[in-house]
Amino acid sequence: EKAGYKHFMLKEINEQPRAVRDTTLGRVSLETGEIFLPEMQISQQEFKAATGITIAACGTSWHSGLAGKFMIERLARLPVDVDYASEYRYRDPIPDATNLGLLITQSGETADTIAAQQELIRKGSKTLAICNVVGAAITRAAQGTITTNAGPEIGVASTKAFTAQLTALFVFALYLAQQRGTITPEESLHYVTELSKIPAKLEEVLRTVDAQCCELAKSFSTARDFLFLGRGIHYPIALEGALKLKEISYIHAEGYPAGEMKHGPNALIDETLPVVCIATKDPADPSSVLKYEKTLSNIQEVTARSGRVIAIAVEGDHEITQLVEHTIHIPAAPELLLPILEVVPLQLLAYHIAVRRGCDVDQPRNLAKSVTVE
Ligand code: M6R
C-alpha cells in the first residue's frame, strides 16, 4: 500500500505532481485561459459585489490560506483576512452578507473549522470550501466546494493535500478575477499555461533535490532549533517548512517573515543555528525581484552573525550560491506559483531529518490526522 516507499509521507510527497494535475484538470481551458467552477452556487453578481473574503483554517491548511491571500488580493483585488479557525469565533467577528467565507480543510471534519463556518453563516456570510474529502460536513454547509483531488492522505503530516490546496486557491483566485473583471484574457491564458507546467516542474524538483536534502539531513539532524524565513507569499511557506520539521522530527522550529529578523530574532543567531531562507524570484516580475533583493540583504545579516544558511533559490541563480553555505535550486515560475515548488525541498528536508532521528514520521507523537475536538 506504500507502493514501495518506506513511509506514506514519502509516497505522498512523490504523488504531488499528480495531485496538482488532478486538481487543475477540467477546471481550466488551455485554449482560452478560462476557469470553470460549476460547483459554485454564488452568482457572478455576488462575486462582483463582494467586499472581502475571510479565510478560516487550521495548521497546514491555514498556511495555504495565508498564501491564498496573496493570490486573491493580487489577481482579484479583493481584501482577504486569514484567521485561525480556533480563534475566529472568539473574537466576535464582523462579517456581513457582502463578505464571503472560505474554509480550507483537508479532512473536512476539523472541529474548529466547522465552528468557524457556523459562525460565518450565523453572521450572514455565505461560505465556500476547499476540501479533500467529497461529502464531508463542511462541504455540505458550503455554497460551493473546490475539491482538491489529492487522494487519501495517510501520513499525519500534510504534504500533497497542501500543494493541492495551493493549486485550488490559485484556480479560485483566477476564477474570482475573471468573474470580477480584474484580469485580461491574455493574463489568464498566461497563468493557466504556467499552471499547466507545474506538475512537470514538480517531477523535476523531486528528481533533483531528494539526494541533496538527504545529504543536508546528515549535517543538520542534530540541531536544536531551526529558523525558516520568507517574504511575501513565501512567508507562509516558511511557516509550513517549520511546522513540517516540528511535527515529525520534534526539533523546535520557527517561521519568520525575513524582514522581521532585525526586530528581535536576530538575537538568536549563532554558528549553531540553521536558517532556511526562501529566496526565490520570478525574474520577469519586478515586484518579485525587489522582494528577492531585500531577502538577500536579510540573508547577509544572518551570515554576518555566522548563521548557517540553506537557501531555496531558482535555477540559474548563482548570485546567492556565493553568499550561503547551501543552495537548493528549483525551476523558475511566476511568483504566485513558486510556493507549490519551494515547499517540496522543505518537506523532504523535514522527512530525512526525522528519519535520521529515528522518529515515526507517519504517526508523530501526540498528533491525530483529524482533530475533531475543539
Ligand atoms: O483536515 P484539516 O486540513 O482541517 O486539518 C488541519 C490541521 O489539523 C492539519 O493541517 C495539521 O496541521 C497537519 N497535521 C499538518 O501537517
Side-chain angles (χ1 to χ4, degrees), residues 58-61 105-108 110 156-158 165 243-244 247 371:
C58 303
T60 289
S61 300
T105 169
Q106 186 282 129
S107 63
T110 301
V156 165
S158 186
Q165 285 167 350
L243 178 61
K244 287 290 88 94
E247 68 180 333
V371 185

Side-chain angles (χ1 to χ4, degrees), residues 195-263:
L195 175 61
S196 73
K197 295 179 188 165
I198 294 294
K201 290 183 184 181
L202 276 171
E203 306 268 8
E204 188 185 328
V205 176
L206 289 165
R207 239 187 352 259
T208 54
V209 311
D210 186 55
Q212 193 184 2
C213 291
C214 190
E215 209 40 47
L216 286 170
K218 286 188 194 159
S219 341
F220 291 101
S221 64
T222 54
R224 205 192 55 182
D225 309 280
F226 255 80
L227 267 184
F228 289 77
L229 306 182
R231 187 182 280 273
I233 196 168
H234 313 292
Y235 162 56
I237 306 307
L239 292 177
E240 175 62 6
L243 178 61
K244 287 290 88 94
L245 189 66
K246 285 187 263 220
E247 68 180 333
I248 63 168
S249 78
Y250 318 142
I251 295 177
H252 167 248
E254 272 193 81
Y256 245 93
E260 270 292 302
M261 290 297 289
K262 54 187 169 304
H263 301 288

Side-chain angles (χ1 to χ4, degrees), residues 74-97:
R74 174 119 166 222
L75 298 175
R77 308 307 298 157
L78 196 57
V80 179
D81 278 335
V82 189
D83 270 83
Y84 285 114
S86 58
E87 291 286 324
Y88 184 70
R89 70 171 175 165
Y90 299 108
R91 69 171 172 83
D92 195 12
I94 322 170
D96 60 27

Side-chain angles (χ1 to χ4, degrees), residues 7-25:
H7 298 98
F8 281 111
M9 183 182 178
L10 190 59
K11 171 174 176 265
E12 289 160 3
I13 288 173
N14 278 280
E15 283 172 348
Q16 292 180 105
R18 190 206 40 76
V20 168
R21 193 176 294 117
D22 288 354
T23 301
T24 310
L25 223 67

